[in-house]
């Protein structure tokens, strides 16, 4: 889809409104990983990322066809806002799992069933509240 933006350069409200539209479109594309210096080092295809499993020592990123493992410190730097905010479509289900809401197949009292995952991801009470809040948006 293509968009053409036009705005009055003398009107700050129109400029900010147009910028907000562009930023929202960028958010839907994919998330770029960057190192602590702010330089782009690699790209994370968040649309294909199904689940993130967190432990004290490492983060495992589960895709449909493969898994990547990072040390916890590096993963936190690289993932940044992806694991801190639900704006990107990822919800912390419990203390060790972050799930991509695009892969949710069903939700019940046991937890969340995801596409391409053979087990039910358990939902904690705060995780269930985050899930409800996500659906309210």
């Amino acid at each position: 889809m293509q968009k053409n933006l036009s705005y009055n350069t003398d009107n700050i409200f129109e400029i900010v409104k147009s910028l907000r539209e562009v930023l929202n479109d960028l958010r839907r594309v994919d998330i770029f990983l960057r190192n602590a210096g702010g330089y782009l080092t690699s790209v994370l295809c968040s649309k294909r990322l199904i689940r993130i499993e967190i432990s004290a020592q490492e983060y495992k990123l589960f895709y449909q066809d493969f898994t990547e493992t990072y040390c916890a410190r590096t993963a936190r730097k690289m993932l940044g806002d992806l694991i801190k905010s639900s704006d990107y479509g990822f919800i912390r289900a419990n203390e060790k799992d972050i799930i991509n809401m695009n892969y949710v197949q069903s939700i019940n009292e046991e937890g969340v069933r995801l596409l391409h995952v053979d087990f039910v991801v358990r939902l904690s009470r705060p995780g269930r509240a985050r899930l409800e809040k996500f659906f309210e948006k």
Side-chain angles (χ1 to χ4, degrees):
M1 179 170 87
Q2 292 184 356
K3 283 186 182 178
N4 293 322
L5 294 176
S6 61
Y7 52 88
N8 180 356
T9 57
D10 297 329
N11 186 336
I12 189 73
F13 176 75
E14 287 187 27
I15 294 171
V16 170
K17 183 179 174 185
S18 298
L19 180 60
R20 184 180 304 137
E21 286 181 39
V22 170
L23 291 174
N24 284 335
D25 289 341
L26 281 173
R27 213 184 278 163
R28 290 185 201 106
V29 174
D30 244 334
I31 308 255
F32 293 94
L33 298 179
R34 49 188 155 63
N35 64 11
Y39 299 106
L40 181 66
T41 57
S42 59
V43 177
L44 167 70
C45 183
S46 65
K47 291 179 182 176
R48 292 185 10 221
L49 180 60
I50 299 171
R51 181 174 73 95
I52 302 170
E53 186 178 292
I54 300 170
S55 69
Q57 301 297 320
E58 63 187 19
Y59 281 39
K60 289 184 181 178
L61 282 64
F62 292 91
Y63 295 88
Q64 182 177 350
D65 302 325
F66 63 97
T67 302
E68 290 184 10
T69 303
Y70 296 98
C71 78
R73 183 176 178 199
T74 302
R76 280 192 299 271
K77 283 183 184 177
M78 289 192 315
L79 295 172
D81 292 338
L82 180 75
I83 58 177
K84 295 176 186 171
S85 171
S86 65
D87 291 341
Y88 300 103
F90 288 83
I91 301 291
R92 188 171 196 124
N94 56 50
E95 63 278 351
K96 69 171 197 157
D97 290 305
I98 297 174
I99 59 173
N100 186 339
M101 294 302 292
N102 293 321
Y103 287 90
V104 171
Q105 197 172 26
S106 64
I107 303 168
N108 58 29
E109 56 279 338
E110 293 177 25
V112 177
R113 179 161 297 281
L114 301 171
L115 292 170
H116 312 294
V117 176
D118 295 335
F119 60 92
V120 175
V121 176
R122 189 179 57 79
L123 276 174
S124 63
R125 265 186 251 131
R128 196 170 293 278
R130 284 189 285 271
L131 197 67
E132 290 171 2
K133 187 176 178 181
F134 180 82
F135 284 124
E136 286 176 4
K137 287 184 179 180

